[in-house]
């Protein structure tokens, strides 16, 4: 299975900074063929990023989407706007959106439906909080998020990202064992929904991925890529992550 490694820049980088990043980053990864390389800049920098990645092996993603096609929805961005800006994928259900913008499972599901209808690939995020992990509820949370988020969704062009909230931006990465355990569980739940097709769904790990821990994380059986925040903001650092070394 081809790996999938995506940069989630969150609310970082202006248009000029995006262009500068890509001018340094593109040559550093131009020989990579066995990884889908994806960057998700803020909305304002998407068109400029699309321009910079012409004729490269880099793909563009948005960080969010709205489910309606157009209309009186101040501040929102439609699927067609994202396509026009050059996006092939969109991140949906990130824990920061769930936490700060009250995005519940039903909203996440609506957004996934709209993205897929428009032909966008979906990077669907799930993950438990520290409190939930300590209370032994990790699997329950993951199951609920997946079953609700993916209700009536087919598995084509779908990538699932496991991002334990306690590992995001904290420098506290999940151990390989913790990541593999949840990834295997996610694969099982996906199997209940999609049968054999679950084997082909890429499951990314996200949460303090760095050049130092990427090699061993990518060696875990059910880890098929990464969703990277902080360590994706510098071209050298993200290039090293994309060019991870395969461990046996
Ligand atoms: P960090 O890599 O900064 O922990 O962020 C992870 C993340 O939330 C990616 O979506």
């Amino acid at each position: 299975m081809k790996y999938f490694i995506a940069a989630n820049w969150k609310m970082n980088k202006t248009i000029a900074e995006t262009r500068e990043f890509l001018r340094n980053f593109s040559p550093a990864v131009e020989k990579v063929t066995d990884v889908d390389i994806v960057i998700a800049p803020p909305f304002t920098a998407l068109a400029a990023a699309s321009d910079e990645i012409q004729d490269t092996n880099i793909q563009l993603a948005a960080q969010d989407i709205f489910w309606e096609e157009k209309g009186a929805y101040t501040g929102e961005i439609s699927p067609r706007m994202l396509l026009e800006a050059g996006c092939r994928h969109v991140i949906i259900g990130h824990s920061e959106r769930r936490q700060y913008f009250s995005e519940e499972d039903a909203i996440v599901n609506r957004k996934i439906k709209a993205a897929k209808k428009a032909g966008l690939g979906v990077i669907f995020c799930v993950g438990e909080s520290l409190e939930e992990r300590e209370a032994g509820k990790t699997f329950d949370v993951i199951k609920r998020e997946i079953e609700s988020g993916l209700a009536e969704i087919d598995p084509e062009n779908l990538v699932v990202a496991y991002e334990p909230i306690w590992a995001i931006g904290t420098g506290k990465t999940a151990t390989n064992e913790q990541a593999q355990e949840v990834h295997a569980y996610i694969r099982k739940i996906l199997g209940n929904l999609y049968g054999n097709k679950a084997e082909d769904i890429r499951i990314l790990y996200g949460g303090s991925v760095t050049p130092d821990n990427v090699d061993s994380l990518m060696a875990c059986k059910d880890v098929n890529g990464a969703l990277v925040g902080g360590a994706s903001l510098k071209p050298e650092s993200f290039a090293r992550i994309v060019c991870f070394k395969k461990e046996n």
Side-chain angles (χ1 to χ4, degrees), residues 8 10 94 96 125 163 167-170 206-209 227-231:
N8 176 8
K10 310 188 179 184
H94 192 281
E96 286 150 15
C125 304
E163 299 207 306
I168 294 178
T170 57
S208 299
V209 174
L227 185 54
V228 189

Side-chain angles (χ1 to χ4, degrees), residues 1-9 21-22 25 29 32-41 53 57-62 88-89 91 122-123 158-163 183 201-220 223-246:
M1 195 184 316
K2 196 172 181 186
Y3 281 85
F4 187 111
I5 300 189
N8 176 8
W9 285 353
F21 175 99
L22 287 167
F25 176 70
V29 298
V32 175
T33 54
D34 53 353
V35 179
D36 279 319
I37 307 168
V38 179
I39 57 151
I53 62 174
N57 55 348
I58 302 166
Q59 304 165 37
L60 196 60
R88 283 179 57 180
H89 313 270
I91 299 171
V122 170
I123 305 166
L158 172 73
V159 170
V160 178
Y162 170 53
E163 299 207 306
H183 280 234
I201 299 177
R202 289 174 289 186
I203 307 175
L204 319 183
Y205 170 78
S208 299
V209 174
T210 66
D212 293 330
N213 59 29
V214 67
D215 299 345
S216 63
L217 280 164
M218 292 307 112
C220 298
V223 177
N224 313 117
L227 185 54
V228 189
S232 74
L233 294 171
K234 293 222 165 72
E236 322 77 68
S237 161
F238 190 51
R240 171 63 184 82
I241 290 172
V242 166
C243 302
F244 71 92
K245 297 190 175 63
K246 294 209 174 85

